[in-house]
Amino acid sequence: MRTILPGQTIGIIGGGQLGRMMALAAKEAGFKIAVLDPVMDSPCGQIADIRIVAPYDDEAALEELGEVSDVVTYEFENIDYEGLNRLTQIAHVPQGAELVRITQNRINEKREITAAGAPVADYITAQTFEELTTKVSTIGFPCIVKTAIGGYDGKGQVRIDSPEEIHIAESLFTHSPCIAEAFVPFSKEISIIIQRNAAGQSYCLPVAENIHIDHILHESIVPARVPSEVPMQANEVAIKIANHLNLVGTLAVELFVLENNEILVNELAPRPHNSGHYSIEACTISQFHQHIRAICGWPLREPRLWAPSIMVNILGEHIAPLKKAITEYPHWSVHLYGKEEAKVKRKMGHVTIMTDDIEKTLQEIGSSAIWSNE
């Protein structure tokens, strides 16, 4: 296992907020940062030592990133798999490219989750719309049809409630083959983030309870308000998947909690995750610091929760009311990502609130009126 030391350079593919927070954690330990992003003034680019401005699939730019970096990581999974795979031949990419190939395609992802022995909802795969119509009865209605490739924050998927509605899914097949999942009535959505180094040492962050609005994460509540057996199950599932995939770095596992407190895996994300942002203030080590340790070949630190916490996303429409209210809440930790244009529904930052009373703090968030349109 190669060890990367302070003073050396960490290359990051992707210049968004995850790359920025990753870079800030690395800089605390004395690392230098190189970033590849199509935008010069990206959130990560604003604090990087070296900026390579080019598309993510630019072969020459990827090669340049590899040349100037002692280790290379990535901040999102929708990067060019072929380019990343080529980069692994000439640069130190401890995460490899296989995890990106798997998580870029929902069919591959479901296959690997199942192979790891983790539970998922009943599903079918379909290369064409015609194949979907012939197979969908095996999982029944309602069901969720999703494109195998692409789609995030609820895009690229539709809910089908009856055979008469199946035509709604036809347009999805213009993008890629699809997967159809039986709809499961769940009581909560949770996520767990597992981080693992090349030596096989791994730790999970505390389980987060996630509340979505319009398919975009709104709040993460930690610890999740679930019976004690649920986090234990989530830990076991995350470890199974991480070991099966030979994970190096970070993997977020999104799950459904059913009425009987059993869990099903929904999706994977091979990177730091929005639902883990609370860990910057609320844990003995954040997901970003742990990610840097994992890819640099350092021993990992056991994360522990200092206090119950709530993380709330700041979208474009929340920036103005947040700035008006910011002086009224000195116990809030405010993170803004350096994005210039505050577009509606665009993730601009987050707030983390450590608390002794989750319910009281949820009321405080509501009464602030910052998120009053939610």
Side-chain angles (χ1 to χ4, degrees):
M1 184 170 70
R2 190 188 304 186
T3 303
I4 308 301
L5 297 173
Q8 292 184 281
T9 300
I10 298 173
I12 302 174
I13 304 172
Q17 62 264 22
L18 298 178
R20 179 189 180 96
M21 289 182 274
M22 206 184 284
L24 288 169
K27 278 183 165 286
E28 285 182 18
F31 290 102
K32 295 176 182 174
I33 298 296
V35 62
L36 168 61
D37 193 88
V39 178
M40 172 65 79
D41 194 41
S42 66
C44 185
Q46 292 168 12
I47 63 166
D49 301 281
I50 301 168
R51 290 184 286 191
I52 301 170
V53 182
Y56 303 120
D57 59 355
D58 186 310
E59 195 168 341
L62 283 165
E63 188 172 333
E64 182 183 352
L65 182 70
E67 288 173 352
V68 301
S69 303
D70 297 288
V71 61
V72 176
T73 185
Y74 49 82
E75 64 123 27
F76 72 121
E77 60 269 37
N78 290 320
I79 54 181
D80 180 56
Y81 162 71
E82 296 295 342
L84 182 63
N85 196 38
R86 285 192 297 271
L87 184 62
T88 64
Q89 309 305 312
I90 61 170
H92 180 43
V93 188
Q95 292 160 278
E98 186 66 7
L99 188 56
V100 164
R101 183 192 67 80
I102 291 167
T103 53
Q104 279 183 349
N105 185 304
R106 288 188 173 96
I107 295 173
N108 295 341
E109 184 175 274
K110 277 285 192 291
R111 184 186 302 125
E112 295 300 328
I113 294 169
T114 304
V120 298
D122 291 341
Y123 73 97
I124 58 168
T125 64
Q127 298 295 312
T128 64
F129 177 65
E130 290 70 28
E131 185 180 1
L132 175 68
T133 60
T134 59
K135 291 169 72 174
V136 70
S137 61
T138 62
I139 57 168
F141 300 94
C143 65
I144 311 295
V145 184
K146 303 176 180 179
T147 56
I149 299 170
Y152 63 94
D153 288 346
K155 300 176 177 66
Q157 62 179 266
V158 295
R159 172 172 165 157
I160 307 296
D161 287 314
S162 68
E164 291 73 32
E165 292 182 359
I166 194 72
H167 66 276
I168 299 171
E170 186 169 9
S171 62
L172 295 179
F173 286 86
T174 62
H175 303 289
S176 78
C178 289
I179 187 169
E181 303 169 357
F183 178 78
V184 289
F186 56 89
S187 60
K188 289 187 188 294
E189 294 180 74
I190 62 171
S191 60
I192 186 166
I193 294 167
I194 184 166
Q195 300 182 290
R196 187 174 184 272
N197 64 17
Q201 182 189 23
S202 65
Y203 285 113
C204 293
L205 284 173
V207 173
E209 173 187 341
N210 299 320
I211 297 168
H212 293 81
I213 295 176
D214 296 331
H215 301 286
I216 299 173
L217 182 64
H218 169 53
E219 288 174 333
S220 290
I221 300 167
V222 186
R225 297 171 296 178
V226 292
S228 59
E229 67 264 26
V230 172
M232 292 172 61
Q233 290 180 66
N235 269 268
E236 290 172 7
V237 162
I239 291 167
K240 281 183 179 178
I241 296 172
N243 289 339
H244 173 73
L245 296 174
N246 200 25
L247 173 72
V248 175
T250 301
L251 184 73
V253 183
E254 299 178 51
L255 307 112
F256 296 132
V257 181
L258 308 185
E259 295 292 344
N260 62 2
N261 292 322
E262 292 182 3
I263 58 173
L264 296 176
V265 178
N266 179 30
E267 290 183 340
L268 306 178
R271 50 166 172 77
H273 194 260
N274 196 169
S275 66
H277 292 351
Y278 74 89
S279 62
I280 296 172
E281 282 83 22
C283 290
T284 51
I285 185 165
S286 78
Q287 64 169 340
F288 300 103
H289 289 84
Q290 193 86 296
H291 181 79
I292 296 301
R293 297 178 77 93
I295 64 165
C296 288
W298 292 17
L300 304 187
R301 183 185 304 162
E302 182 177 0
R304 295 183 181 178
L305 192 68
W306 290 122
S309 299
I310 302 172
M311 187 282 308
V312 196
N313 267 335
I314 302 164
L315 306 183
E317 60 268 35
H318 306 139
I319 289 289
L322 174 74
K323 287 182 176 178
K324 288 181 182 177
I326 205 166
T327 57
E328 299 174 31
Y329 301 98
H331 54 295
W332 290 13
S333 296
V334 177
H335 297 256
L336 294 177
Y337 304 146
K339 297 180 182 179
E340 189 173 344
E341 188 177 356
K343 297 178 183 177
V344 172
K345 302 301 179 190
R346 186 185 194 191
K347 291 177 183 176
M348 301 295 293
H350 70 271
V351 169
T352 299
I353 310 166
M354 297 169 69
T355 178
D356 294 325
D357 190 331
I358 288 287
E359 299 306 323
K360 183 179 177 181
T361 302
L362 287 169
Q363 292 174 7
E364 177 184 270
I365 292 166
S367 64
S368 76
I370 296 167
W371 297 272
S372 57
N373 293 327
E374 304 301 335

